[in-house]
Amino acid sequence: MFSWIPVCCVCSRWEEKKKEGGVKWMQLEHRGPYFAPLYEPLPKDVRFYYDGKPLKLSLATEEIATFYAKMLNHEYTTKEIFQNNFFHDWRKEMTSEEQEIIKELDKCDFTEIHKYFVDQSEARKALSKEEKEKLKEEAKKIQEEYGYCILDGHREKIGNFKTEPPGLFRGRGKHPKMGMLKKRIMPEDVIINCSRDSKIPVPPAGHKWKEVRFDNTVTWLASWTENIQNTLKYIMLNPSSKLKGEKDWQKYEVARRLKDVVHKIRAQYRADWKSKDMKKRQRAVALYFIDKLALRAGYEKEEGETADTVGCCSLRVEHIQLHPELDGQEHVVEFDFLGKDSIRYYNKVSVEKPVFKNLRLFMKNKDASDDLFDQLTPTFLNKHLQHLMDGLTAKVFRTYNASITLQEQLKALTNPEDNVAGKLLSYNRANRAVAILCNHQRSVPKTFTKSMQVLQEKIDAKKKQIEEAQEELKKAEDEFEDTKDAKAEANIEKKKKLLKRLEEQLANLNVQAADKEENKQIALGTSKLNYLDPRISVAWCKKFGIPIEKIYNKTQREKFAWAIDMAGEDFEF
């Protein structure tokens, strides 16, 4: 364990002088990552069957079989691409004897293994309160040992300090690599980063680190390369840390600066639609899409490395269709392509006439597979943006437009007379406008139909209670008419209060139902955490008396502590 140095107050952390020359810290000490536990073999009575006969698997083959078995009741295992990728990678890890026997996935029977893990899950749920508390205490000890670091004298929380366990890659949308084997991360894969004068983390017994670095110009504590996408993964500081908070703050300040120059930039790209330089024209149309539709720029990828996903600069002719008129609108562009994480982007947008004419020109004499913006790269685009404003990239437009949209929608939708539930519905509708702009989608949750059914039952029950309360109130009023006594009059007031309370409860349930229905295919969390200046939400909460915990959960409140401290109710993005 570390000998922790006392932490200063939150205010002093924010007020400390910033370091120069790209230096992020002077002291960094931590324990390194916490590795996923090693595989425990299945009990002897839990068997795998091939072609109807039990087959004893080698340890490595059995472990990978459990990954698939755990997912048997999931939609992923019904997808052909998932099945093919899994079986291909699984066979690579088999012994030669197993490869001779196991040749078809359809003949594999994982049901006993699946049942074993379902039973294990149910057993964990059925643990006594004392047993659950014991497990909680063990997790807390691991958190205390591995979940904190010393950064320039402060005890800072680490984000995800555990390596991801091995398993099958899921991906999003129609990812071509879904089902592939995510291999176990070993100490030999891990690069450690800490300060020279710190106690260097000790690797698990019998292992060594890939490398130990002392780089104080970066903020990660450990890194490794995952085998599916061949991308770097990092252990970073928790979002609530000072360095992360400062980085967030700066990100939104850059987006706020765009507000002062965005009109000039728009005037410039409009002028460039008529440029004699075709490269400038393409850049101007792409920038229009990035600005107005919040499209990602799209980055060059090595062929065959990842899914066929594109951004604005890498759009191909096949990804758009031009309609001089469609659904009563002129100059309509129909987009259809796979964006980030293989999420489909489909949109029909009426654009300005010069944009439409330019797109027609860009598509002329090209095949469907040709680049739409054949003379444009994200690098060329971003260099131009840097020239327009220091720190400006295509991503800054996304942050700017998301934040501005939220602020404008909140002003338009919030009714000061609404109760808290009504105002929260307005907030979620404003957030949804941003999620739609940014194409943040999700599949309808499996539990959606059931949860809506439960909610509808509550609504029906509440309506019945209201009917009964109305009848009770009528009886009380009739009784008062007959007796005119004070007790009967007091009873009327009591019945009125009950009826009012029940009607408010029904209104809240109806709001919940509307919110749930409207959000079933929209992922609100992505934009809220990554693209929306949290000060807008904090200011809205303060202005309309909404508890901040109704908008942000505990983890999010820690991440946005800087915004909660800074923003008053009059904050404007």
Side-chain angles (χ1 to χ4, degrees):
M1 291 295 288
F2 301 124
S3 359
W4 298 111
I5 297 168
V7 187
C8 305
C9 71
V10 174
C11 294
S12 65
R13 289 169 74 221
W14 289 110
E15 289 164 2
E16 283 172 1
K17 188 180 176 184
K18 289 183 183 175
K19 296 167 183 69
E20 295 176 359
V23 171
K24 309 290 186 190
W25 46 263
M26 299 306 292
Q27 178 205 18
L28 177 61
E29 185 171 316
H30 56 93
R31 288 295 304 266
Y34 182 80
F35 289 92
L38 296 174
Y39 175 65
E40 289 184 17
L42 293 167
K44 288 180 181 176
D45 60 341
V46 178
R47 290 164 297 185
F48 166 78
Y49 293 83
Y50 186 76
D51 204 11
K53 298 171 188 172
L55 179 64
K56 179 66 181 168
L57 301 174
S58 64
L59 205 61
T61 306
E62 180 186 278
E63 180 181 16
I64 298 164
T66 67
F67 301 156
Y68 194 84
K70 286 174 184 175
M71 296 179 69
L72 272 192
N73 62 352
H74 202 289
E75 186 191 355
Y76 276 106
T77 52
T78 66
K79 296 179 180 180
E80 188 179 352
I81 190 164
F82 189 93
Q83 294 171 353
N84 292 344
N85 284 337
F86 159 71
F87 197 61
H88 175 266
D89 279 8
W90 189 31
R91 277 182 53 80
K92 282 198 292 188
E93 302 299 320
M94 291 176 185
T95 63
S96 54
E97 291 84 0
E98 288 167 337
Q99 287 175 345
E100 280 299 311
I101 300 168
I102 303 171
K103 293 188 175 179
E104 294 175 47
L105 183 60
D106 288 345
K107 292 183 179 180
C108 297
D109 183 353
F110 302 91
T111 48
E112 271 193 24
I113 304 174
H114 173 72
K115 184 180 181 304
Y116 170 75
F117 284 108
V118 169
D119 291 346
Q120 289 277 300
S121 176
E122 292 302 317
R124 279 194 298 275
K125 289 177 190 173
L127 288 174
S128 66
K129 189 179 176 182
E130 292 75 19
E131 288 170 317
K132 285 180 180 175
E133 199 57 44
K134 190 180 175 186
L135 290 175
K136 201 173 171 182
E137 282 301 313
E138 287 171 8
K140 195 175 175 183
K141 281 180 187 173
I142 294 169
Q143 169 79 44
E144 283 296 316
E145 187 171 353
Y146 290 90
Y148 292 89
C149 68
I150 294 290
L151 183 87
D152 292 341
H154 297 294
R155 184 177 188 251
E156 295 275 17
K157 199 172 182 182
I158 297 170
N160 189 0
F161 57 88
K162 296 179 179 180
T163 61
E164 199 174 352
L168 302 181
F169 179 68
R170 299 189 181 196
R172 293 175 63 193
K174 298 176 180 178
H175 205 291
K177 294 190 175 185
M178 62 170 64
M180 289 176 69
L181 175 63
K182 286 192 301 182
K183 294 187 176 177
R184 182 179 294 278
I185 304 302
M186 301 300 286
E188 287 73 13
D189 301 314
V190 176
I191 299 170
I192 293 291
N193 192 34
C194 57
S195 53
R196 284 183 190 277
D197 58 353
S198 70
K199 185 180 175 185
I200 293 169
V202 179
H207 293 277
K208 61 181 182 179
W209 303 121
K210 180 180 180 180
E211 186 186 338
V212 177
R213 289 186 192 171
F214 312 106
D215 185 354
N216 64 359
T217 63
V218 297
T219 57
W220 54 266
L221 288 68
S223 77
W224 59 88
T225 303
E226 57 84 29
N227 67 291
I228 303 288
Q229 307 272 61
N230 204 32
T231 55
L232 281 166
K233 295 284 184 180
Y234 297 98
I235 286 179
M236 309 284 281
L237 291 165
N238 187 271
S240 63
S241 70
K242 180 172 178 282
L243 279 178
K244 281 280 191 179
E246 281 179 352
K247 195 174 177 184
D248 253 5
W249 178 14
Q250 286 159 11
K251 175 177 87 172
Y252 292 113
E253 283 302 298
V254 171
R256 283 182 88 198
R257 281 197 286 116
L258 176 56
K259 182 176 63 175
D260 299 326
V261 295
V262 73
H263 301 299
K264 286 182 185 175
I265 292 171
R266 286 169 179 164
Q268 177 69 61
Y269 69 59
R270 278 186 167 86
D272 285 346
W273 290 341
K274 297 174 184 175
S275 173
K276 291 178 182 177
D277 183 345
M278 187 55 69
K279 199 171 183 179
K280 275 189 181 179
R281 277 198 187 204
Q282 291 192 1
R283 183 181 70 194
V285 172
L287 192 47
Y288 170 79
F289 286 153
I290 287 165
D291 180 17
K292 294 297 180 185
L293 303 179
L295 295 187
R296 289 182 173 87
Y299 291 90
E300 299 91 344
K301 297 173 296 196
E302 288 186 27
E303 201 172 326
E305 273 300 300
T306 55
D308 182 23
T309 58
V310 298
C312 187
C313 295
S314 49
L315 284 171
R316 297 192 294 273
V317 172
E318 63 192 306
H319 294 136
I320 68 166
Q321 285 187 52
L322 302 181
H323 304 280
E325 194 175 331
L326 185 69
D327 301 332
Q329 291 185 306
E330 289 187 326
H331 312 123
V332 174
V333 182
E334 186 176 358
F335 293 88
D336 193 356
F337 61 88
L338 288 183
K340 188 183 176 188
D341 294 328
S342 298
I343 297 294
R344 184 188 183 200
Y345 182 91
Y346 181 77
N347 202 0
K348 288 185 279 191
V349 188
S350 175
V351 300
E352 294 183 42
K353 190 176 179 179
V355 171
F356 193 84
K357 287 172 75 175
N358 271 310
L359 288 170
R360 188 173 271 163
L361 179 64
F362 301 159
M363 295 169 78
K364 196 174 179 181
N365 299 324
K366 285 183 183 176
D367 294 330
S369 60
D370 288 341
D371 287 338
L372 179 66
F373 301 115
D374 56 309
Q375 298 187 35
L376 186 63
T377 63
T379 308
F380 173 69
L381 177 67
N382 278 330
K383 273 184 182 175
H384 172 64
L385 294 176
Q386 281 289 329
H387 174 70
L388 296 171
M389 187 190 100
D390 183 40
L392 183 59
T393 63
K395 190 173 182 179
V396 174
F397 269 98
R398 203 167 160 82
T399 305
Y400 164 77
N401 281 314
S403 294
I404 280 288
T405 300
L406 178 72
Q407 184 166 276
E408 289 171 350
Q409 287 290 307
L410 285 175
K411 284 179 180 177
L413 297 173
T414 308
N415 180 356
E417 303 304 315
D418 279 349
N419 61 14
V420 170
K423 286 178 182 139
L424 286 172
L425 180 61
S426 297
Y427 179 86
N428 282 344
R429 282 176 172 160
N431 195 351
R432 183 162 52 256
V434 176
I436 291 167
L437 174 74
C438 296
N439 199 41
H440 292 149
Q441 299 179 36
R442 63 172 182 173
S443 52
V444 178
K446 278 185 178 180
T447 56
F448 177 76
T449 305
K450 177 69 179 169
S451 62
M452 282 298 281
Q453 188 182 330
V454 170
L455 196 50
Q456 189 56 51
E457 285 168 3
K458 286 181 181 178
I459 289 169
D460 293 341
K462 196 62 66 180
K463 284 178 179 175
K464 193 175 179 184
Q465 284 179 299
I466 287 171
E467 285 174 13
E468 290 168 357
Q470 285 169 337
E471 287 173 13
E472 289 294 315
L473 176 60
K474 181 75 171 65
K475 283 180 188 175
E477 287 171 340
D478 290 345
E479 186 185 337
F480 177 67
E481 279 296 316
D482 293 339
T483 62
K484 301 289 184 185
D485 69 1
K487 189 178 177 184
E489 189 175 15
N491 193 34
I492 288 175
E493 287 307 310
K494 185 180 172 185
K495 299 295 181 188
K496 280 182 178 176
K497 281 180 182 175
L498 174 62
L499 180 60
K500 187 183 177 186
R501 189 164 69 247
L502 290 171
E503 285 172 341
E504 284 174 355
Q505 288 169 352
L506 177 62
N508 287 346
L509 287 170
N510 283 326
V511 164
Q512 281 180 44
D515 205 25
K516 203 177 264 287
E517 176 62 40
E518 290 170 13
N519 289 332
K520 66 182 178 185
Q521 286 183 284
I522 301 291
L524 297 183
T526 309
S527 50
K528 189 193 279 189
L529 286 181
N530 301 303
Y531 292 103
L532 298 175
D533 188 327
R535 291 171 292 185
I536 299 167
S537 298
V538 171
W540 181 82
C541 285
K542 289 178 179 178
K543 184 173 183 178
F544 293 105
I546 306 294
I548 198 79
E549 55 270 22
K550 295 283 186 183
I551 300 296
Y552 294 128
N553 62 30
K554 185 174 181 290
T555 304
Q556 292 164 349
R557 292 197 301 275
E558 288 174 357
K559 174 180 170 67
F560 296 135
W562 60 272
I564 294 168
D565 286 345
M566 282 180 189
E569 63 177 61
D570 298 324
F571 172 81
E572 288 279 328
F573 179 73

